[in-house]
Amino acid sequence: MPVRGTLVDIPTADGTADAYLAHPDDGRAHPGVILYMDAFGLRPHLERMADRLAAAGYTVLVPNAFYRGGRAPVVELPELIDVEQADELFARIVPLLDELTPEATTRDADAYLRWLADSPLVQDGPVGLTGYCLGARLALRTAAGHPDRIAVAAGFHGGGLATDSPDSPHLGADRITAELYFGHADDDPSLPPEQIGRLAAALAAAGVRYRAEVYTGAPHGYTQADTTRYDAAAAERHWDALLGVLKRTLPA
């Protein structure tokens, strides 16, 4: 399906978030999906991911979650991100991450969902979410904060989903009505086995419909083709899982 991609601006309570929008180029409204970025930010690779989702029949919004620090790219990135040699890069990213408090995430999600609801390119009704690394955390918080607007949320190689913090994302499980899917990275320091178990226990206790899988041998960041953590087989498995859960819960 031919796809059109454009840059859009979204008014928020804290300013203006720039974003990439991809949609089927057929003039019709399609189910909406928010694609939440990883910690490296809005960039061409994520735009290509949005295009692939749009080709499956969805209108896909990829917000620059770091918009408080400027328009994308907020942090200049190399063509191939060497995660093992990225200490200086992470030093610039951490302050941007610190601004994404649970309260800021909720305000931003309000704006993104309102923008989608007002767009003629998006069908009426609930939307879907998919998130990567940091984005899995944003997706889980959005599903808990907007249960009436989210049909499905997926998270891949997410980190910090079920920490000991009093504002950990998993503590919102009892407010989630969406179906969830998680594709956890294998041996991931940002989501160790105890957090995977804590997340599963919270979702089960809340009666949330979900499926969680550990992608054996896949490192943290396995979907990101512009990094040294990319795993092609795991990335394709992610596409199969994501499109499968979207088509079941939010048919295009």
Side-chain angles (χ1 to χ4, degrees):
M1 183 180 296
V3 166
R4 181 182 295 269
T6 57
L7 299 178
V8 299
D9 286 343
I10 301 173
T12 77
D14 297 339
T16 300
D18 52 310
Y20 179 76
L21 182 74
H23 59 90
D25 193 14
D26 59 4
R28 298 191 295 111
H30 293 268
V33 174
I34 297 174
L35 191 160
Y36 278 124
M37 66 186 216
D38 66 350
F40 293 125
L42 176 56
R43 59 195 192 280
H45 169 64
L46 293 185
E47 294 176 1
R48 290 190 290 270
M49 293 183 74
D51 289 348
R52 182 165 175 175
L53 263 184
Y58 297 94
T59 295
V60 185
L61 183 71
V62 192
N64 168 22
F66 292 157
Y67 71 88
R68 293 172 182 84
R71 300 181 70 86
V74 181
V75 176
E76 292 295 332
L77 300 169
E79 187 172 331
L80 178 66
I81 303 166
D82 186 344
V83 179
E84 311 308 325
Q85 305 295 325
D87 288 351
E88 183 179 338
L89 185 59
F90 283 120
R92 298 199 298 272
I93 290 172
V94 166
L96 301 169
L97 291 171
D98 290 342
E99 291 186 320
L100 281 175
T101 63
E103 296 76 18
T105 299
T106 296
R107 293 194 301 273
D108 290 348
D110 288 340
Y112 305 152
L113 291 167
R114 185 168 55 250
W115 192 93
L116 288 173
D118 290 342
S119 172
L121 297 170
V122 180
Q123 286 181 359
D124 293 339
V127 306
L129 310 171
T130 184
Y132 303 87
C133 181
L134 157 71
R137 195 156 66 241
L138 300 180
L140 190 56
R141 290 198 190 282
T142 300
H146 301 80
D148 59 326
R149 295 285 289 120
I150 308 303
V152 57
F156 299 92
H157 49 82
L161 300 181
T163 69
D164 293 326
S165 170
D167 60 1
S168 175
H170 79 288
L171 297 176
D174 60 347
R175 302 193 301 276
I176 294 174
T177 59
E179 181 172 339
L180 305 184
Y181 175 86
F182 296 98
H184 301 311
D186 194 13
D187 192 21
D188 184 353
S190 71
L191 195 76
E194 58 268 25
Q195 283 200 42
I196 292 176
R198 190 179 296 136
L199 175 62
L203 296 175
V208 176
R209 295 165 297 152
Y210 82 97
R211 183 180 180 189
E213 301 179 291
V214 175
Y215 288 20
T216 303
H220 181 82
Y222 61 79
T223 62
Q224 303 303 296
D226 60 350
T227 79
T228 54
R229 295 284 181 84
Y230 179 61
D231 182 308
E236 285 306 308
R237 179 179 175 182
H238 133 270
W239 282 114
D240 289 343
L242 176 59
L243 291 171
V245 72
L246 283 174
K247 288 175 180 177
R248 185 172 65 255
T249 58
L250 200 68

